[in-house]
Every structure is written in structure tokens, then in C-alpha cells.
Amino acid sequence: MTDSTEATETFAPPPEFAAAANVKEDAYERGAADFEGFWAEQSRDLVDWNEDFTEVLDWSNPPFAKWFADGKLNVAYNCLDRHVLAGNGDRVAINFEGEPGDSRSLTYAELLAEVSKAANMLTELGVEAGDRVAIYLPMIPEAVISMLACARLGAAHSVVFGGFSADALRSRIIDAEARVVITADGSYRRGKETSLKPAVDEALSHGDTPVESVLVVRRTGQDVDMTEGRDQWWHDTVDNASPEHEAEFFDAENPLFILYTSGTTGKPKGILHTSGGYLTQVLYTMKAVFDAKPETDVFWCTADVGWVTGHSYVAYGPLAAGMTQVIYEGTPDTPDQGRWWEIVEKNKVTTLYAAPTAIRTFMKWGEDIPAKYDLTSLRLLGSVGEPINPEAWRWYHRVIGGGRCPIVDTWWQTETGSHMIAPLPGVLATKPGSAQRPIPGISVDVVDETGEHPAGPEGGLLVIRQPWPSMLRGIWKDPERFKETYWSRFEDTYFAGDGARRDEDGDIWFLGRVDDVMNVSGHRLSTAEIESALVAHPSVAEAAVVGAADDTSGQAVIAFVIVVDGVENSPEVAEELRQHVGKEIGPIAKPKRVHIVSELPKTRSGKIMRRLLKDVAENRAVGDSTTLADSSVMELIEASVAKS
Ligand code: WT7
């Protein structure tokens, strides 16, 4: 997505912001001179270690890194106890805004008590260090409480986004071998009750999961089936548990969580993150990129805890930094399109972190909506999930930030655990559309296809040169796939899967994924995963899926399918297939359009040329199709798309 306006205009940080910034220019030099020493210093400064580490980085068996390996810590202690012990127990940790208008505040002391109760209850259910717990919850405080309770016990959580289907939940539970599931009866979305518990029942109904217990939070009060001996209400159990819990300390490399994300094949990858290095870089980016000022800031990251953004910048980052944060349950248009701005005004939010797709939606709704609210508490804005087009950047800066707030465009991935490329807001003049530079201590490059030369001005592939503290430690139970996906393309170098280019100032611009991964509203979806859901439908013989440019969501899922004999090409069938994908994977994966076609473009070796389908989906002249086995196929496809 490009626009014609001058893209090189920059915005220097306001002088007061620059003067008070936590991190100054010298950090770049220190991070580059000795990256291990730099991260050791950040870690000792920002993390409370129960036992200090003697070794910083163990890279003796690449690509399997260990950071701070002989240190011991408890991540939940770092998020809670230490703030209470420092006398900040009365500071608000979470201001929760429910969609129907209810709200709830939890101080650090109260949150510590809630997490302790949950940890005691999980212990009663048999959860121990090294176990896995699946969390399938809406955006309510219990989501964060559950994650921290697992961390407190040294058990890894696997949060499954509440918008994912029963099947997606089931396969993730099985892969992670979770013993316990924490869920809720339901949630509020767009003014309606949605349900979650039935999906858990369905996921467990085959009897092929290792789940022994299900804890159910009551959020909406709707009727749910409770299975005797397996299911218990949170309010009957956790609420009555002891609010005292002594944290044990675990190795720095103890698993903290597994989070499933889409790759280029149909099977989601369980990305594994561990404790000490992860917490170090999450805290450093809170300090350096979000310029966290825990005494005065009110932080609001609008992401769901089902995504990595909600792990690093809802559950862990703001709490480990001792900040007050806002959590909102629902959608931006309930009860009206001013909801986010009402929340900013009411809570005096200082730091807002959102996705470009949301910004573009607000642009469409019009600037008179935010204009009705007092947004002067804001001092810093963040963007994440996909490239932000300069036009949306400028709107965000002017309309939401009142022209006074720096914007940090943060590039990172589920795999990187925390920010990797983003401007330091008190140091760099920001540039609409560019994520600019790696943060201090991180080393990236943009290379050509061979990996041997820097890419030219037209761009190339983004790679990461050195290990970093919050890097993934692997793919759960699949070390070969870990090596193959990220470390096989170039030697000893991490291949991110993103295209990028550097401008004449050396600033980095992202160009989108170079693999078969799509980015819809900042959510990662794989073409292969949706294709396999489609071909699982009895009416479908073959399917190909592409991500086509979309003004609001960045990309939209467009499917091309060949139906089996006897099934007709009708809008009803196309609609049924859309719904089917929604049911198999989740509503976010539902194709925007399903085109029923008679052929798919294939090379002589049978590989589908998605590039050509993308041309059709984006209404462009079809590109070079000379390698097709049958070059007349594209005309047939274009004709049937024109009809549908
Ligand atoms: C992919 C990672 C990072 C948390 C949310 C998404 C794209 C992410 C940016 C950005 C350009 C971005 C990349 C990346 N992406 N942030 N600021 N500018 N592209 O995490 O689901 O793991 O997706 O999102 O393509 O590889 P994820």
C-alpha cells in the first residue's frame, strides 16, 4: 500500500519528550559495541534475579540459544511481588473495561492475591513446573491472572485465541499435551453474548486429549454444560483458594509459553518462549520503545492475549514494568464508534498501541468521532502487525496524537518475542511508513536472494544476524522444522520471511511477507491452512488461497476452488464454503470471496502459481504465465471470476 504524498518528511521528537526520554542515542553505540555485554547489563538492571547468571549467551549449539542460563528467576514475581514489596501495592495494575460498560480495577496487591489464588488452585489440580495449561479466554482480567499463575508455577501456558474454533483448540491442546484448560462461559462482542465453553466441550469430546480438568470463569452468566469430575467453576474454586503463595525460582530457560502461529504449511507451529531472556527484552523495549514511566503512564495495548502482542505487551511487559494498564473486552464500535476514544479519555491513557487496520477503520469512520473526546493525555502512539501506510501514519499522528505524540512503528514477530525494529521515540525523527532501525543490541540486514550481498534499492530479504534474548527457543516438539524454517536459507542467520528495503538514510521499510503467509488485520494466516480446510469439505476437489491487497485489512483472503462433479457453481455453495472455513479455523480466516473455477493455474510440475491468482484477485492484468502447463487456464479463471 503506497500513497503519492511525500514520504520522506520526518517528525523530530518534541524537545520535552526527547529531554525526558528513558533511553538516549548512546544506547545504539553500546548495543553495537558488545551486544552480549549490553543485554547482560539490561537484564541485571531490569529483571529481579533470585540467582544471578554467570554466562550471558550460550550459542555453542546454534540455532538453539540459551540466555542467562544459570540464573534463576520467577517471571510472575517480577510482574507482581517486587512492585508490592517496593511499596507500590496500591498502584492500579489493571483497569478493565467490559464491553457492556462494566469496569473493574485491580491494584498490584489485589492482582498478586488473585494470581496467588489461581496458582494455588492449579496446584490442587496437579499442575507442576514443566506442565502445560491451555487458556481459552476472552479479554478479561482472568486471562492475565491465568497466564501469570502458570508462570508463577513454572508451567507453560498455551493461549488459544477465543476466536479460534473447537478443532483449532483441540489440535493445540493435543500438540502441547495440556492437562488443564481455563475458559469462560462466554464473552460480550458487538453488544451480544458469545459463547466459549461449548467449543471446549467439543474439543474434548473425542476423548483423545490429555485434559483432566477444566476451570470455567463466569463472565456472561449464560447456561453451560458442566462435566462432572472434569469441570469446575472459577468462582467456586479459585475465589476460595488461599491468597498467599510463595513463588519458587526457576531456571532462566524454563519454558514460559507456547504460542501457535501460522507457517507456510497447514500445521500451525508451536513457538516456544522461555523466561529470563524473554523478560529482559520485553522489559527493555517497554523502557526504550514505549518510554515507560510507571508512576505516571497509563498504557493501553489493544491486542488480544491470544496473539503475541497480548503476551508481551498486555500480560508481561506493562506489569513487569509496574505500569497501570487498560484492558478492553470488546469491539471499537460498541456501543458506538467512539468507544476507544471514550476509554482513552476516561482512563487518561498516555500510551496507545494499536494495529494499522484499526487506524484505517477509524479513518473511514471520520475524524469528527475522535474529535468529540479529550485525547490530550496521550503522549506516545504505537503501531504493530503490518506495515503502516504513510497516509494512516499521518492521520494517527495528527488526529489521535494531536501532532504532539511520536509514533513507534514496531516490527517484530511471534518468533522474536518482542520489538526488534522500531524507532527510539526520544532519539530518532520518525518517518511515516518506516519502522526505521533495529533497537540497540539487535543486528539486522536486508540481503539479496543469495544472502551474500546487501539488497539494492528495490529491496530484498530481512535477516537477523545475531541471537537476541527474547528469540524463540524452538518449535514445540519439532527441532527439525525450527532449523528448516528459519535457519536453513542462510548460514547461521535467522530468515524472518519478510521483504524489506533500506532507503538512503539506512531506514528500513517493510514490503510484506515473501512466503505463503498472509496478514489480515495484523493477524497471521497461512494459505496452506485455509486450503486444507477447504479441501476437507466434501464439495471441494481443489483449492488455492491468496492474500489480496485490501484497503482496510491490509490483505484479504480470496479463495479459488474447483468443486467436485455434481456440485454446482452457485453463490450458495460459495457462501457455504466461507462459513465452513470459519467453523474449521475461526471467523478471521473466512475468505472474503470464494470463486468457483474450473481450473487452477499450475506449472508443469503441478505447483499452483498463486502469483497469477493474486493478479486476478487484485484486478490487475495477469502477469507472466508462460510456465503454466496450459496457458489458456487464466482466461477461463478470469471469465468465471467476472461472472461470480
Ligand atoms: C509478521 C509477524 C508482531 C506482533 C504481531 C504480529 C508483520 C508485524 C510489522 C510492522 C511491517 C509487520 C511481518 C511479520 N509485521 N509488525 N511494524 N511493519 N510488518 O505477529 O503474527 O507473528 O506476524 O507480521 O510480516 O513477519 P505475527
Side-chain angles (χ1 to χ4, degrees):
M1 211 165 301
T2 51
D3 58 13
S4 52
T5 34
E6 185 58 29
T8 48
E9 173 194 16
T10 60
F11 294 82
E16 325 75 71
F17 192 105
N22 289 339
V23 174
K24 305 283 193 324
E25 185 147 21
D26 60 303
Y28 285 117
E29 225 164 276
R30 287 191 296 130
D34 167 16
F35 82 103
E36 290 188 39
F38 173 82
W39 285 116
E41 190 187 319
Q42 303 315 320
S43 193
R44 291 199 173 100
D45 179 30
L46 298 168
V47 174
D48 262 39
W49 288 93
N50 186 250
E51 269 175 48
D52 192 17
F53 49 89
T54 59
E55 188 179 31
V56 180
L57 169 65
D58 175 356
W59 192 234
S60 57
N61 179 29
F64 300 93
K66 290 185 184 152
W67 281 87
F68 317 121
D70 62 347
K72 283 192 192 298
L73 79 163
N74 184 298
V75 173
Y77 176 95
N78 272 273
C79 293
L80 301 166
D81 309 56
R82 66 162 166 168
H83 306 311
V84 175
L85 290 170
N88 294 321
D90 292 338
R91 182 181 297 162
V92 172
I94 294 176
N95 267 328
F96 168 68
E97 299 286 353
E99 199 193 72
D102 57 320
S103 55
R104 179 180 170 199
S105 250
L106 287 153
T107 64
Y108 273 93
E110 289 165 343
L111 188 60
L112 171 59
E114 293 305 314
V115 170
S116 299
K117 288 188 210 170
N120 284 322
M121 181 59 201
L122 289 175
T123 304
E124 202 163 298
L125 293 176
V127 174
E128 292 174 2
D131 286 345
R132 268 86 48 209
V133 172
I135 297 176
Y136 188 63
L137 281 170
M139 279 301 280
I140 56 177
E142 285 79 2
V144 173
I145 294 168
S146 300
M147 292 164 82
L148 293 178
C150 292
R152 198 168 183 89
L153 296 174
H157 51 73
S158 164
V159 180
V160 180
F161 175 54
F164 279 142
S165 67
D167 275 351
L169 174 62
R170 173 169 160 265
S171 63
R172 284 158 173 77
I173 287 173
I174 292 174
D175 189 73
E177 297 164 286
R179 306 178 63 162
V180 173
V181 179
I182 308 178
T183 188
D185 51 357
S187 172
Y188 297 99
R189 252 191 115 62
R190 294 226 153 74
K192 291 203 198 81
E193 281 181 16
T194 61
S195 58
L196 280 170
K197 178 64 169 45
V200 175
D201 294 336
E202 195 185 326
L204 303 184
S205 66
H206 305 255
D208 56 355
T209 77
V211 172
E212 297 151 13
S213 318
V214 179
L215 270 179
V216 188
V217 177
R218 187 157 70 195
R219 169 64 184 140
T220 63
Q222 63 193 271
D223 278 344
V224 298
D225 293 336
M226 297 291 276
T227 299
E228 183 80 43
R230 188 195 71 187
D231 302 352
Q232 301 186 67
W233 286 105
W234 177 285
H235 60 262
D236 286 340
T237 54
V238 176
D239 283 358
N240 299 326
S242 160
E244 310 284 335
H245 183 273
E246 185 134 2
E248 261 181 81
F249 297 91
F250 303 103
D251 290 347
E253 288 295 342
N254 193 52
L256 183 64
F257 64 85
I258 301 167
L259 183 58
Y260 289 84
T261 188
S262 298
T264 53
T265 68
K267 190 174 181 280
K269 303 176 279 201
I271 303 299
L272 174 67
H273 283 285
T274 60
S275 306
Y278 173 80
L279 190 65
T280 297
Q281 197 173 330
V282 165
L283 268 168
Y284 181 67
T285 52
M286 286 301 302
K287 174 181 171 181
V289 180
F290 288 133
D291 194 43
K293 304 271 198 298
E295 289 83 23
T296 47
D297 274 345
V298 178
F299 186 81
W300 184 20
C301 165
T302 60
D304 191 284
V305 287
W307 312 106
V308 73
T309 311
H311 281 62
S312 302
Y313 300 106
V314 177
Y316 293 109
L319 296 175
M323 300 179 92
T324 297
Q325 74 170 319
V326 173
I327 291 181
Y328 172 53
E329 176 184 34
T331 59
D333 53 357
T334 308
D336 57 58
Q337 296 174 339
R339 186 64 191 268
W340 273 29
W341 317 119
E342 183 206 319
I343 292 173
V344 168
E345 178 181 279
K346 176 180 167 200
N347 291 281
K348 302 198 166 48
V349 171
T350 59
T351 315
L352 177 69
Y353 192 32
T357 182
I359 311 304
R360 290 192 295 267
T361 302
F362 297 132
M363 282 173 78
K364 260 201 303 206
W365 290 347
E367 56 187 89
D368 46 324
I369 295 173
K372 290 186 211 142
Y373 298 88
D374 179 2
L375 305 181
T376 54
S377 57
L378 289 169
R379 68 177 192 94
L380 179 67
L381 303 174
S383 173
V384 61
E386 55 169 318
I388 179 164
N389 48 309
E391 193 193 355
W393 195 105
R394 277 191 283 267
W395 190 91
Y396 196 24
H397 187 255
R398 176 176 63 80
V399 177
I400 305 305
R404 82 190 164 269
C405 307
I407 296 181
V408 285
D409 175 4
T410 60
W411 178 90
W412 57 297
Q413 308 176 299
T414 306
E415 292 86 343
T416 70
S418 57
H419 303 158
M420 298 294 281
I421 303 178
L424 294 183
V427 177
L428 296 188
T430 51
K431 205 182 254 187
S434 168
Q436 297 189 286
R437 292 198 206 169
I439 63 165
I442 298 296
S443 161
V444 309
D445 248 330
V446 181
V447 297
D448 69 6
E449 291 283 322
T450 67
E452 278 159 33
H453 314 283
E458 72 295 343
L461 304 171
L462 187 96
V463 296
I464 305 172
R465 290 291 188 200
Q466 294 161 344
W468 62 101
S470 66
M471 69 194 277
L472 75 166
R473 297 305 194 260
I475 294 176
W476 186 248
K477 295 198 300 200
D478 204 345
E480 281 314 308
R481 193 172 175 199
F482 173 55
K483 288 193 216 165
E484 142 97 42
T485 310
Y486 308 104
W487 304 92
S488 65
R489 180 137 185 178
F490 307 119
E491 206 175 330
D492 282 346
T493 298
Y494 175 89
F495 170 63
D498 278 54
R501 68 177 176 86
R502 276 191 207 268
D503 66 15
E504 50 294 345
D505 303 324
D507 285 328
I508 294 170
W509 296 71
F510 280 95
L511 306 171
R513 299 285 306 191
V514 296
D515 52 17
D516 292 331
V517 171
M518 297 173 289
N519 189 325
V520 178
S521 299
H523 297 147
R524 207 160 132 176
L525 297 170
S526 105
T527 52
E529 202 178 346
I530 298 176
E531 285 163 4
S532 50
L534 282 166
V535 294
H537 190 281
S539 300
V540 177
E542 276 191 84
V545 165
V546 298
D550 185 275
D551 278 348
T552 305
S553 57
Q555 285 189 320
V557 178
I558 309 292
F560 296 83
V561 300
I562 302 177
V563 289
V564 295
D565 281 349
V567 173
E568 57 180 324
N569 179 352
S570 69
E572 291 73 33
V573 173
E575 181 55 27
E576 187 185 327
L577 296 177
R578 287 186 63 242
Q579 298 303 337
H580 168 75
V581 174
K583 197 182 157 289
E584 288 277 305
I585 304 174
I588 47 161
K590 242 192 249 176
K592 187 170 180 187
R593 293 194 301 274
V594 173
H595 297 298
I596 298 175
V597 294
S598 54
E599 300 282 350
L600 289 172
K602 289 187 187 153
T603 60
R604 257 152 282 207
S605 60
K607 197 171 180 303
I608 295 175
M609 293 186 75
R610 291 194 187 73
R611 170 172 68 76
L612 300 176
L613 293 173
K614 204 165 157 161
D615 289 339
V616 175
E618 292 178 349
N619 276 323
R620 250 197 317 268
V622 172
D624 183 4
S625 58
T626 47
T627 54
L628 283 182
D630 172 358
S631 58
S632 66
V633 162
M634 288 317 295
E635 283 159 36
L636 286 173
I637 293 174
E638 285 186 284
S640 41
V641 167
K643 264 192 285 165
S644 63

